[in-house]
Amino acid sequence: MEVLSTRSGDLERAARIVKRGGIVAFPTDTVYGLGCDPHDPRALNKVLSVKGRRRKPFPILVASPKLAGRIAVMDSQAKALVSRFWPGPLTIVLKPRVRFPRSLRMRHETVALRCPRDRVTLQLIRRCGGLLTGTSANVTGRPPCTSARMVRRRLGDKIDAVVDGGRSPRRTSSTVVRVDSRGATILRKGPIRESQIRRTLSTVRVYDRSEQ
């Protein structure tokens, strides 16, 4: 595994690795993420082999809210959440406008998008063309990595490189909210609290596993 710094030249090196189909771990405004090209099925399968068993779609980090609107359907609810919480630790699940590989969507008809509040992360995403997967750097079921040292220890040579941005500012992943015609549903609790979302939207549900 190659260890890179947050300097411009190293971020460009990380972007080249992603464009060649590689996997890079990187710091975000939550925990460390695993990045690859979200349009590259082979790269996505590599991430799957690192993560292990997984049913949830891979989230996509976007360079800007405007770009998110080009690849997913943004209704008034989604726009309200974006205006209030982006950039930041909120992932929004939406209907896509463009096709993504099944290995990214995991047979779901939606995509999960987030615009992070972190200068280094945004620079890397832009160098990768504006989109980058942002699943947490961990094996499924294990706690997410919160430092480059933890990434090296737990993932080792399974990935191509890690961008060392120090310790994560948070130890939990982003809040996840699905937006559809029924309103907003909180699928995963996180840094953005339910009370904050309720102050933004009139209709908010919390996912109940008994509904499955």
Side-chain angles (χ1 to χ4, degrees):
M1 177 196 295
E2 189 173 353
V3 179
L4 303 172
S5 73
T6 58
R7 293 191 296 270
S8 179
D10 276 5
L11 292 180
E12 190 60 43
R13 165 68 179 160
R16 287 198 298 270
I17 291 172
V18 169
K19 291 174 181 178
R20 291 203 303 263
I23 305 171
V24 173
F26 57 94
T28 75
D29 53 344
T30 55
V31 296
Y32 271 67
L34 286 180
C36 77
D37 181 348
H39 288 290
D40 187 336
R42 291 186 179 181
L44 291 164
N45 286 333
K46 289 179 185 178
V47 176
L48 276 173
S49 69
V50 173
K51 298 277 293 185
R53 57 184 175 80
R54 181 182 176 88
R55 296 180 180 178
K56 299 176 183 178
F58 286 123
I60 303 173
L61 300 184
V62 297
S64 68
K66 184 177 181 180
L67 181 55
R70 293 176 185 166
I71 64 173
V73 178
M74 290 272 192
D75 64 10
S76 60
Q77 300 173 103
K79 290 177 181 177
L81 289 174
V82 165
S83 177
R84 173 69 177 82
F85 299 111
W86 277 12
L90 180 69
T91 298
I92 307 177
V93 178
L94 301 164
K95 184 177 180 180
R97 291 185 184 275
V98 299
R99 293 181 64 86
F100 287 98
R102 292 181 65 186
S103 49
L104 180 131
R105 295 183 290 107
M106 296 292 176
R107 299 183 180 181
H108 289 252
E109 297 303 319
T110 54
V111 289
L113 305 181
R114 184 165 86 87
C115 183
R117 185 186 292 275
D118 184 90
R119 179 183 60 82
V120 171
T121 312
L122 288 172
Q123 286 182 12
L124 177 60
I125 297 168
R126 293 185 187 110
R127 284 172 165 80
C128 291
L131 304 177
L132 185 66
T133 63
T135 184
S136 56
N138 66 325
V139 174
T140 300
R142 299 288 302 278
C145 293
T146 55
S147 68
R149 180 179 180 183
M150 190 179 294
V151 171
R152 295 198 305 270
R153 186 170 68 246
R154 293 188 177 178
L155 302 183
D157 293 332
K158 294 180 180 180
I159 65 175
D160 299 291
V162 58
V163 176
D164 189 347
R167 293 197 64 81
S168 299
R170 295 183 174 90
R171 303 185 69 85
T172 57
S173 301
S174 65
T175 302
V176 179
V177 176
R178 181 180 65 219
V179 175
D180 55 29
S181 59
R182 295 178 296 175
T185 304
I186 299 173
L187 302 180
R188 182 177 72 193
K189 295 182 178 181
I192 304 298
R193 298 185 300 276
E194 179 183 343
S195 60
Q196 293 175 278
I197 296 170
R198 289 188 182 279
R199 286 197 294 268
T200 305
L201 300 179
S202 58
T203 305
V204 179
R205 301 167 63 242
V206 178
Y207 177 66
D208 184 353
R209 291 186 180 277
S210 66
E211 294 179 355
Q212 284 189 314

